[in-house]
Amino acid sequence: MMHENINIFDTTLRDGEQTPGVLITSNEKLKIAHKLDELGVDVIEAGSAITSKDEQESIKLITENNLNAEICSFARPLQIDIDTAIECNVDSINIVIPSSDLHIEFKLKKTRKEVEQMAIDAVEYAKDHGLIVELSCEDATRTSVDDLKSLYTKTIDAGADRICACDTVGILTPEKSYNFYHELSKLDTPLSVHCHNDFGLAVANTLEALNAGATQAHLTINGLGERAGNAALEEVVMALESLYNVHTHIKTELFYETSQLVESISGVVLQSNKSIVGANAFAHESGIHADGVLKKSETYEPIKPEVVGHRRRFILGKHVGKHVIHEKIKETNTDVTDDELNQIFMRIKALSDMGKTVTDVDLQAITDDILNIDIDESIHLDEYTTVSGNRVTPTASVKLKLNDEDKIEAAVGVGPVDAAIAAIQKTLQNTVDITLEEYHVDAITGGTDALIDVLIKLKCDDKIITARSTQPDIIMASVDAYLKGANKILTDKKRK
């Protein structure tokens, strides 16, 4: 039976950073740690202190900030690892030791008796130095339960406060997970579950382990982690809260912004249909679905988007219905007759049938055209210049006319597009707060002179605006799409 209070052990900064290609700086780790603490996780595994001097500085930076969460360091069962963690002033240590015959024989090249003694010595040493100790068995799910129980019993006797069984290569099924963790829960010591997602079952296996008696879950934001990742924190917690009626300490309304922060810093882009925090998690295109949601959100949404800090979106695609179009038009304080709505609907359908993504800017243009509204755009591009090369820091300057006032700014970036957008953002910073949420580029035709299609999403307040531009020049297409979206945002503000 599931415990009433489940602890959340976040390992985004340790196991999550082991995602191929991910490197998180000290200041970025601190930002994420602050957000995780605000989110309400019980334990933050801040890294592995022995890894490097930079890692030690990162962990120290976090421990110096007196967060509410328990701050933990990963360690091998070696005195040098534990001493290094102690120097970082952590509260606890996650001692990880291989337990399967495969790992003991081929990785450690030791006997099981030697490995057990290493674990006992490490636990005793850490406890003697005042640390909370969690003993994690690596590759536990390919270890016999008898061998695991023997190792856990000896390390519990040595002082281990918690034990953890790791499904290191994600081979459990939900049924096996329940039986496996139920057997380990009989040791009557706080038990953690740590699941990898190699077969896409990490969340399901974690939930079954908790259902079987585990009391703490090792998780990462967005499911980051080695290979296919770890169990996603936001998915496990929302399943616990919504499906199992088990309360955690997590402030779920912070999930979306936490996910966005980790996505931005890690550089690992979320798939749009990612549950809970993905762009399409609360997006609707189908006319039938959208109509139902507008009348009663529960018809096609299991939870309200506000519960996880997300927002509902209606997509203008080939399946869109008139109700959605009318709703989006009303958002701009524009009134249309039934005949005008029908004309707008037919124009959008025609664009969709041509295989085009219909953006918010397209909808406004179509609506204004049918209503004979002349738009006085707030932003006009006079000129832009970019400089880039293998020995030159990408730099851009822009000259805009913003509400009839000349604005000139310059910025640097990781590339010419990034620099150009950064320069535009500087010109707008005292007028409107716009965040670039998504940037997507496609080459429509072949060759180096291909037409480039840029689709972007801009966020202002709690609203997301989509815009696009098709040009032969990727920088111009990017600048044009951004300015179209910014103009749409400013136009909406004027109309309101």
Side-chain angles (χ1 to χ4, degrees):
M1 184 176 177
M2 196 175 290
H3 286 251
E4 289 185 5
N5 292 306
I6 299 297
N7 281 354
I8 302 301
F9 180 112
D10 182 275
T11 182
T12 303
L13 297 178
R14 199 276 299 175
D15 218 345
E17 197 193 17
Q18 291 174 201
T19 302
V22 171
L23 176 64
I24 306 175
T25 67
S26 295
N27 286 333
E28 289 170 339
K29 279 198 168 191
L30 182 60
K31 278 185 185 178
I32 293 174
H34 270 295
K35 182 55 70 175
L36 292 172
D37 196 51
E38 185 184 1
L39 187 66
V41 304
D42 299 282
V43 184
I44 297 174
E45 189 173 34
S48 176
I50 195 63
T51 301
S52 67
K53 289 290 183 184
D54 185 64
E55 186 83 338
Q56 291 157 33
E57 291 305 313
S58 296
I59 297 172
K60 285 178 185 177
L61 199 59
I62 293 170
T63 57
E64 288 168 359
N65 272 262
N66 298 316
L67 303 181
N68 292 317
E70 174 188 312
I71 307 302
C72 179
S73 173
F74 173 99
R76 296 168 300 175
L78 301 174
Q79 184 174 323
I80 188 172
D81 284 35
I82 299 168
D83 285 339
T84 308
I86 291 169
E87 290 171 8
C88 296
N89 300 314
V90 295
D91 303 306
S92 63
I93 196 161
N94 180 23
I95 298 174
V96 179
I97 189 160
S99 62
S100 67
D101 291 338
L102 180 67
H103 278 232
I104 290 172
E105 179 181 352
F106 291 97
K107 191 170 83 169
L108 296 184
K109 299 186 183 301
K110 294 182 180 295
T111 65
R112 181 166 295 281
K113 188 173 181 179
E114 288 174 320
V115 168
E116 285 186 349
Q117 192 59 52
M118 286 174 65
I120 293 167
D121 291 344
V123 170
E124 288 178 343
Y125 185 80
K127 289 303 296 180
D128 287 345
H129 287 78
L131 292 171
I132 298 168
V133 175
E134 181 152 340
L135 191 283
S136 293
C137 284
E138 185 181 14
D139 207 27
T141 53
R142 292 191 293 190
T143 306
S144 77
V145 173
D146 288 341
D147 285 338
L148 274 178
K149 282 187 171 182
S150 172
L151 177 56
Y152 284 137
T153 299
K154 290 172 183 176
T155 52
I156 291 168
D157 290 342
D161 301 283
R162 302 187 296 255
I163 57 175
C164 175
C166 304
D167 188 20
T168 302
V169 291
I171 60 165
L172 285 177
T173 63
E175 298 82 6
K176 289 178 181 177
S177 182
Y178 182 91
N179 293 332
F180 178 75
Y181 285 97
H182 179 66
E183 193 62 32
L184 295 179
S185 70
K186 295 176 182 177
L187 293 172
D188 198 29
T189 296
L191 171 66
S192 296
V193 50
H194 181 115
C195 290
H196 282 262
N197 202 40
D198 295 80
F199 289 91
L201 295 171
V203 169
N205 290 337
T206 298
L207 290 170
E208 278 302 283
L210 296 172
N211 206 25
T215 55
Q216 180 170 263
H218 286 208
L219 308 165
T220 63
I221 297 295
N222 297 342
L224 286 183
E226 297 176 87
R227 304 182 311 279
N230 290 41
L233 191 153
E234 62 280 355
E235 294 178 21
V236 170
V237 168
M238 288 315 301
L240 288 173
E241 298 268 355
S242 302
L243 306 179
Y244 290 84
N245 198 29
V246 171
H247 183 64
T248 66
H249 307 124
I250 301 300
K251 298 181 181 70
T252 63
E253 66 275 10
L254 298 178
F255 268 145
Y256 183 70
E257 61 185 72
T258 305
S259 168
Q260 293 284 292
L261 176 67
V262 171
E263 180 184 30
S264 173
I265 288 176
S266 70
V268 179
V269 179
L270 284 184
Q271 61 193 63
S272 58
N273 64 337
K274 165 77 170 64
S275 61
I276 309 299
V277 291
N280 288 348
F282 300 94
H284 307 276
E285 178 183 324
S286 164
I288 295 171
H289 284 216
D291 183 47
V293 167
L294 285 170
K295 291 172 179 174
K296 185 75 171 173
S297 64
E298 289 86 346
T299 53
Y300 291 103
E301 290 177 348
I303 57 174
K304 292 184 182 297
E306 296 80 12
V307 171
V308 294
H310 214 325
R311 67 185 300 277
R312 184 176 299 115
R313 291 193 305 127
F314 294 106
I315 308 301
L316 301 173
K318 67 180 290 186
H319 304 104
V320 72
K322 288 183 185 178
H323 290 88
V324 169
I325 294 173
H326 197 197
E327 192 68 23
K328 290 183 77 71
I329 292 171
K330 286 195 296 183
E331 287 177 3
T332 64
N333 282 0
T334 303
D335 294 322
V336 293
T337 65
D338 289 344
D339 181 58
E340 289 166 341
L341 177 61
N342 192 55
Q343 291 181 59
I344 295 167
F345 174 71
M346 296 307 293
R347 290 267 291 270
I348 286 174
K349 280 286 191 179
L351 275 177
S352 298
D353 288 342
M354 292 167 62
K356 295 184 178 295
T357 300
V358 183
T359 67
D360 297 301
V361 174
D362 294 329
L363 174 60
Q364 179 181 301
I366 291 169
T367 302
D368 292 342
D369 182 47
I370 288 173
L371 298 181
N372 294 314
I373 297 174
D374 291 326
I375 295 299
D376 182 20
E377 293 185 333
S378 301
I379 312 167
H380 295 274
L381 176 67
D382 284 340
E383 62 183 62
Y384 82 90
T385 304
T386 59
V387 179
S388 185
N390 68 327
R391 294 181 180 273
V392 178
T393 299
T395 307
S397 63
V398 296
K399 180 181 179 183
L400 302 178
K401 196 171 287 292
L402 177 59
N403 295 323
D404 295 325
E405 181 184 349
D406 287 334
K407 295 276 189 178
I408 300 174
E409 290 288 356
V412 297
V414 295
V417 171
D418 185 47
I421 296 301
I424 293 172
Q425 288 173 327
K426 286 176 73 173
T427 67
L428 302 178
Q429 62 185 357
N430 295 323
T431 303
V432 62
D433 185 17
I434 297 175
T435 304
L436 179 61
E437 289 282 294
E438 189 175 318
Y439 173 88
H440 185 78
V441 61
D442 283 311
I444 297 176
T445 54
T448 56
D449 60 348
L451 276 175
I452 302 299
D453 185 61
V454 172
L455 180 68
I456 65 170
K457 293 179 183 176
L458 301 180
K459 184 177 181 181
C460 181
D461 300 327
D462 65 343
K463 188 173 183 180
I464 294 177
I465 294 294
T466 55
R468 76 179 316 144
S469 180
T470 303
Q471 309 264 352
D473 183 321
I474 187 172
I475 303 173
M476 189 63 233
S478 303
V479 167
D480 188 46
Y482 192 96
L483 291 178
K484 283 179 177 177
N487 267 314
K488 164 69 174 165
I489 289 168
L490 291 175
T491 298
D492 286 352
K493 286 183 176 291
K494 283 181 181 178
R495 290 179 174 179
K496 288 182 179 179

